[in-house]
Amino acid sequence: MNRTHTRALAAGALLGLAALPALAADTATETELRELIRLQAEQIQQQSAQLQALHQRLDAMGAPAVAAAPAAAPVDGGVDLCLHAVADTRQDDMAILQAQVAQLAASGGGGGGGGSVSWRRGGPEFRSSDRGFTFNPRGRVLVDFSSTHGSDFDARNITGTNLRQARLGAQGTMGPLGYKIDAELSDNTVSLSDAYLSWDTMLGGIPTEFYVGNKLKDRAIDSSTTLTRTPFMERNAVASVGMPASGYFGLGVQMKMIGQNWHTTFGITGDDVGNTGTETDSLTYSFRGHVNPIKRPAGFLHVGGWYVHEDYGVDTNRINRTPRIASRFNDNVRVSASAINDVTGEQVWGAELGGTFRNFWAFAETSETTLRSDSVGDVDQKAHSAYAGWLITGEKPGFSARSGVWGTTRVARPVTDGGIGAWELATRYDKYDFTDAARGGEGDSWTLGLNWYLNNWSRVMFNVVRWNTENQVGAYAGTDSGHTFNIRTQVVF
């Protein structure tokens, strides 16, 4: 047996033996070594056949010849020689194996059978080697500062801080099954927000997701987007005016189908998870869909619409919407819709139009809510929003063409890596119209925003809101205007 053949057999045998403490400690018996070398010899024979096939393919292509590994020596006749080769090469090959193990450990064991940990999303995601099982701790902290000036009512000119949101939870997958649960601290109260199970499957060849539990309803762009992803500190007028009486979240079932350039969502939900259980729930049927008639690498066109039908429970017979239009902190700057009594339900429709192009984006939305009242008949409440933005540093807008909601803005030069982060300039106009009611008010606001994304999971937001209200009832009746300056710092994982 020549030396090349000897070293090939020795290296193959060593790969099978290096992991054994017995060999590492020089305590393995000769019988054990013979059996292991026999197994390695069989593997080398298989590898030799593969190399021979590769040699034939290279010859067919006219490539230089590659020497095939010689056939393995007979096991019984070559064991002693192989043992001698193992002894000769053991020290050098062990050093190589130790270096490979050290490199694998430094990389987090991504290629091993024991799974890995990824920090790509700003927090640890634990996953099995085949990624069939994942576990992701979740959390967020949003801290606001707000200052209002210029109102004719001194009580509206206030300054302060607010813990807008603090959440802690987890999400993960078990094959096609998924789960998510978040507990939220907001306005000094603790509640559950997302708390659901999911199932990913295919229906008619179309990717489909089913959700059971308490989940954000798919209704309008901002309404369907988690607050940490919207381009402004607060959701727009269409989101707040078109919100069902049961709220942004609903406990029930939802189904989402996602095509190449479209998506649709159907949902049947009751009150959210905070319902006391002493009265019958409101029952809400919702639908939303969008298409991308134009979709290119540089951007896409978004066209969408949605519809909500809600039958109120017996505990809801009076609706009085008074959305904030300056900040979440300032409860005094609101538009009053005037109370509507003896209501039995509502229906809401909305339309969406917009898109992205390179590092620019623009969208417009409108909605109309019709309240059904046994005493005053139908009452309409309308809202309109138009907004646009420019990512100054060149990143693509964080809007998902797949689901029609705001997603993560991928920062090209994170501050945590020594870069300048991503900078975004945005503006928005909102109109609130409750004048169909006998004493309904109206209002509008202009918002100028500057967002600094430090990395993919943290940002600082600056919003200046110029607002106008014309209320017919309440402590702030009459025409009034002012401006509010808001700052938010947030970390999300």
Side-chain angles (χ1 to χ4, degrees):
M1 182 183 299
N2 59 35
R3 183 171 178 80
T4 301
H5 188 192
T6 301
R7 290 185 63 85
L9 286 175
L14 183 60
L15 290 175
L17 300 172
L20 296 177
L23 182 60
D26 285 323
T27 60
T29 66
E30 182 176 337
T31 301
E32 293 171 339
L33 292 176
R34 288 176 182 273
E35 177 61 17
L36 288 171
I37 290 174
R38 185 188 66 77
L39 295 174
Q40 291 299 319
E42 292 178 358
Q43 295 179 4
I44 291 173
Q45 286 177 333
Q46 295 174 358
Q47 294 171 356
S48 178
Q50 294 173 352
L51 287 174
Q52 182 63 32
L54 177 61
H55 175 72
Q56 293 173 355
R57 291 181 61 187
L58 291 174
D59 285 343
M61 294 185 294
V66 177
V75 175
D76 292 337
V79 168
D80 291 335
L81 192 57
C82 287
L83 288 173
H84 179 69
V86 168
D88 288 343
T89 61
R90 176 180 174 187
Q91 185 173 2
D92 292 340
D93 289 338
M94 280 297 293
I96 294 173
L97 288 173
Q98 288 172 354
Q100 293 173 341
V101 170
Q103 183 179 12
L104 183 62
S107 65
S116 61
V117 180
S118 170
W119 290 82
R120 181 173 59 87
R121 298 181 179 178
E125 180 182 73
F126 304 91
R127 58 196 180 200
S128 60
S129 57
D130 61 359
R131 300 197 179 189
F133 293 83
T134 65
F135 176 78
N136 179 204
R138 294 176 49 85
R140 67 173 63 173
V141 177
L142 283 63
V143 181
D144 293 356
F145 167 83
S146 178
S147 183
T148 298
H149 304 275
S151 172
D152 292 336
F153 300 95
D154 289 340
R156 281 182 160 182
N157 297 319
I158 60 176
T159 299
T161 57
N162 181 37
L163 183 62
R164 180 63 176 87
Q165 278 188 351
R167 284 190 187 180
L168 189 62
Q171 71 178 88
T173 59
M174 298 170 286
L177 299 176
Y179 61 90
K180 182 179 179 182
I181 182 167
D182 282 338
E184 177 176 323
L185 172 64
S186 181
D187 292 334
N188 208 32
T189 61
V190 178
S191 61
L192 283 177
S193 50
D194 284 314
Y196 60 80
L197 301 174
S198 64
W199 178 41
D200 294 348
T201 186
M202 302 286 286
L203 288 182
I206 300 174
T208 304
E209 302 167 0
F210 290 93
Y211 301 90
V212 179
N214 202 59
K215 190 180 184 302
L216 192 65
K217 297 171 185 173
D218 195 12
R219 176 191 57 84
I221 293 176
D222 272 15
S223 299
S224 307
T225 301
T226 181
L227 188 62
T228 57
R229 301 299 182 217
T230 56
F232 299 92
M233 288 175 59
E234 300 301 336
R235 294 183 172 97
N236 60 27
V238 170
S240 57
V241 175
M243 178 180 65
S246 55
Y248 285 102
F249 290 83
L251 183 59
V253 296
Q254 296 186 44
M255 179 186 74
K256 177 186 288 187
M257 303 185 73
I258 302 172
Q260 185 68 25
N261 295 301
W262 57 271
H263 103 281
T264 59
T265 303
F266 303 89
I268 303 176
T269 58
D271 293 339
D272 67 18
V273 73
N275 185 28
T276 60
T278 59
E279 304 286 353
T280 299
D281 279 358
S282 295
L283 186 60
T284 303
Y285 305 88
S286 60
F287 162 82
R288 180 173 179 244
H290 93 278
V291 296
N292 299 121
I294 299 175
K295 190 176 182 181
R296 302 286 185 269
F300 56 86
L301 178 66
H302 170 99
V303 180
W306 51 278
Y307 177 81
V308 174
H309 178 95
E310 183 172 18
D311 294 320
Y312 295 155
V314 296
D315 56 341
T316 304
N317 57 16
R318 186 174 186 267
I319 297 293
N320 185 15
R321 290 195 171 100
T322 56
R324 303 176 182 89
I325 68 170
S327 73
R328 179 60 178 261
F329 167 76
N330 197 328
D331 286 334
N332 300 328
V333 183
R334 297 173 178 261
V335 180
S336 175
S338 183
I340 310 298
N341 296 316
D342 304 317
V343 290
T344 60
E346 66 180 58
Q347 59 184 18
V348 194
W349 65 267
E352 312 161 4
L353 177 65
T356 70
F357 180 71
R358 294 179 180 171
N359 56 328
F360 297 90
W361 54 265
F363 292 90
E365 298 183 77
T366 186
S367 72
E368 181 173 317
T369 302
T370 300
L371 297 170
R372 304 189 304 272
S373 169
D374 289 338
S375 58
V376 298
D378 291 349
V379 178
D380 292 335
Q381 299 178 340
K382 301 177 183 179
H384 315 284
S385 300
Y387 44 111
W390 169 39
L391 282 149
I392 304 169
T393 45
E395 283 82 356
K396 287 187 176 182
F399 190 88
S400 171
R402 181 174 181 267
S403 298
V405 298
W406 291 102
T408 301
T409 297
R410 301 296 179 185
V411 179
R413 291 167 289 177
V415 172
T416 48
D417 293 339
I420 63 171
W423 290 82
E424 180 180 38
L425 187 65
T427 186
R428 182 176 76 191
Y429 173 75
D430 289 308
K431 175 65 177 179
Y432 304 78
D433 184 359
F434 303 126
T435 56
D436 190 50
R439 296 186 296 171
E442 61 182 330
D444 61 72
S445 65
W446 285 93
T447 303
L448 179 64
L450 179 65
N451 299 321
W452 180 25
Y453 300 86
L454 283 72
N455 47 38
N456 292 349
W457 55 87
S458 60
R459 67 177 173 177
V460 180
M461 308 178 72
F462 306 89
N463 282 185
V464 179
V465 185
R466 175 65 181 178
W467 50 266
N468 300 277
T469 62
E470 188 173 345
N471 292 329
Q472 304 299 317
V473 295
Y476 307 105
T479 301
D480 190 31
S481 63
H483 55 271
T484 301
F485 179 70
N486 302 309
I487 303 176
R488 170 174 295 165
T489 57
Q490 72 174 45
V491 175
V492 181
F493 64 87

